Amino acid sequence: MAGQTPMPLLLAALVVLGALTWTRATAAANPDDAAAMQSIANTTGAARSLGWGTKSGDPCDGTWTGVSCDDAGRVTSIRASRAGLGGGWLRASDLSKLSFLAELDLGNNGLIAETGGDLPLLPTPLHNLRALDLRSNRFLGIPGGFFAAFPALQDVNLDDNPMASPKLQPDDVRACSSGLRSFSANNISLSFLPDYLGSASEFPSLESLSLARNMLHGAIPEGFGENSNIKFLDVSGQASTLTGRVDQFIAGMKSLVEVRLGHNSFFGPLPDTTNLVNLRVFDAASNNLCGVPSFSNAVSVDVSGNPRIGKPC
Ligand SMILES: *[C@@H]1O[C@H](CO)[C@@H](O)[C@H](O)[C@H]1NC(C)=O
Ligand SMILES: *[C@@H]1O[C@H](CO)[C@@H](O)[C@H](O)[C@H]1NC(C)=O
């Protein structure tokens, strides 16, 4: 069949393809973005590990692996996770020059911070940044004002950084409250529950909240997450004493699909989940809950390791 493709059609396709390629190749990078990217290539070590800047000084010409630009030659996306940047560092002033950047993924690299060890505090905000992934690096803390530099943030992941009781300042996190969709800060030694993230009026878009394997202590308050859009909640495995009455917050989290509360000190009766029509996973293993489970068949339930389950409270 392929041999019977009409020649004019084939030619037309080739012309269109050629024109597209040509258009792409002519969109040279904005000089300020190019300079910032060359500095990022040098300081992070991506020049060495990914060859950024070694074939061409133009980060938009397709030779910079994982870097994408818009038609005006502005860098819009950097995807360089697992790029072997261990020991490289990330300079806040370079990053804040990429004013059209929408996505930054430098996860799983062992990157360190420029000074003081904290996550980079940008001198000017990145108004277009929507996705930020800095998991599994070597940042030591969260500077006040960190989140305010990303007012359009939707998805953030800071998991597995060697922090020591980092502070999530409520007013700083609130700076990106309207669009925030997914917030993940597993295993960074957080000790205070950012309970404001459970507020449906303050964080109306939040769908996923992961704060597992931290040192959260105290109680998840009654009404946390009530009528929110949170579909996924994971606060499992705290190294400190996280407690609270599960029946007093879970029952009001109408959008819940999956909840992971295991290996903590939650107590009181199992929640009434009859109104949680989307619930599929309820994992509360190794707590101190009581009562006889009565979940719908659609829910995968793990309440093992709760000595008072199966008996009336
Ligand atoms: C990056 O490193 C190269 C090679 O060492 C050097 O020539 C260049 O000036 C550096 N550029 C920046 C912006 O740091
Ligand atoms: C937690 O993060 C540290 C880095 O701070 C990492 O070495 C460790 O493997 C992580 N633990 C888990 C269970 O992911």
Side-chain angles (χ1 to χ4, degrees):
M1 286 307 279
Q4 290 169 18
T5 309
M7 264 326 254
L9 210 64
L10 203 64
L11 277 176
L14 282 175
V15 167
V16 169
L17 206 69
L20 279 176
T21 317
W22 182 77
T23 316
R24 276 176 57 98
T26 51
N30 166 285
D32 294 336
D33 280 18
M37 285 302 293
Q38 187 60 61
S39 180
I40 290 172
N42 285 10
T43 57
T44 60
R48 177 179 33 80
S49 71
L50 296 173
W52 286 3
T54 54
K55 292 196 193 78
S56 136
D58 182 347
C60 298
D61 71 0
T63 63
W64 292 49
T65 308
V67 177
S68 310
C69 301
D70 65 13
D71 292 344
R74 306 306 301 253
V75 174
T76 53
S77 168
I78 299 174
R79 290 186 198 154
S81 68
R82 297 186 196 281
L85 308 180
W89 43 284
L90 187 59
R91 191 191 267 162
S93 57
D94 291 333
L95 209 50
S96 72
K97 286 183 186 120
L98 300 173
S99 45
F100 285 78
L101 193 65
E103 178 186 15
L104 178 65
D105 181 356
L106 292 172
N108 296 290
N109 273 309
L111 281 171
I112 57 175
E114 183 181 5
T115 51
D118 287 353
L119 286 164
L121 180 59
L122 271 49
T124 46
L126 289 182
H127 288 283
N128 293 297
L129 197 93
R130 292 191 296 274
L132 178 64
D133 193 336
L134 295 174
R135 80 183 81 179
S136 288
N137 281 295
R138 307 211 46 82
F139 298 111
L140 304 181
I142 304 173
F146 174 75
F147 291 98
F150 311 110
L153 198 61
Q154 294 178 346
D155 303 298
V156 59
N157 190 314
L158 304 176
D159 297 355
D160 304 322
N161 275 281
M163 301 189 181
S165 196
K167 298 208 171 40
L168 280 179
Q169 297 182 355
D171 286 339
D172 184 24
V173 183
R174 283 184 180 113
C176 40
S177 63
S178 61
L180 200 63
R181 198 169 57 183
S182 164
F183 188 96
S184 190
N186 297 316
N187 185 30
I188 61 166
S189 301
L190 266 186
S191 50
F192 295 97
L193 176 76
D195 57 1
Y196 46 90
L197 287 170
S199 162
S201 56
E202 287 194 84
F203 293 89
S205 313
L206 195 65
E207 292 182 3
S208 176
L209 179 58
S210 289
L211 301 167
R213 304 188 307 281
N214 278 296
M215 300 170 69
L216 298 178
H217 66 277
I220 294 192
E222 186 177 342
F224 174 90
E226 190 160 14
N227 295 323
S228 71
N229 278 315
I230 298 176
K231 297 180 169 69
F232 178 85
L233 174 67
D234 187 354
V235 291
S236 61
Q238 302 301 321
S240 193
T241 308
L242 183 65
T243 179
R245 286 273 302 264
V246 170
D247 60 318
Q248 290 180 348
F249 64 91
I250 293 297
M253 297 184 71
K254 302 248 162 59
S255 304
L256 266 186
V257 175
E258 180 169 342
V259 58
R260 298 194 174 271
L261 307 168
H263 304 275
N264 285 304
S265 302
F266 292 108
F267 65 101
L270 286 167
D272 176 0
T273 57
T274 41
N275 290 327
L276 308 186
V277 293
N278 297 313
L279 190 66
R280 295 296 174 267
V281 176
F282 180 86
D283 184 342
S286 299
N287 279 283
N288 193 21
L289 303 178
C290 59
V292 179
S294 65
F295 292 88
S296 102
N297 286 337
V299 187
S300 154
V301 178
D302 187 349
V303 288
S304 61
N306 287 265
R308 300 172 62 213
I309 286 287
K311 301 167 203 154
C313 294

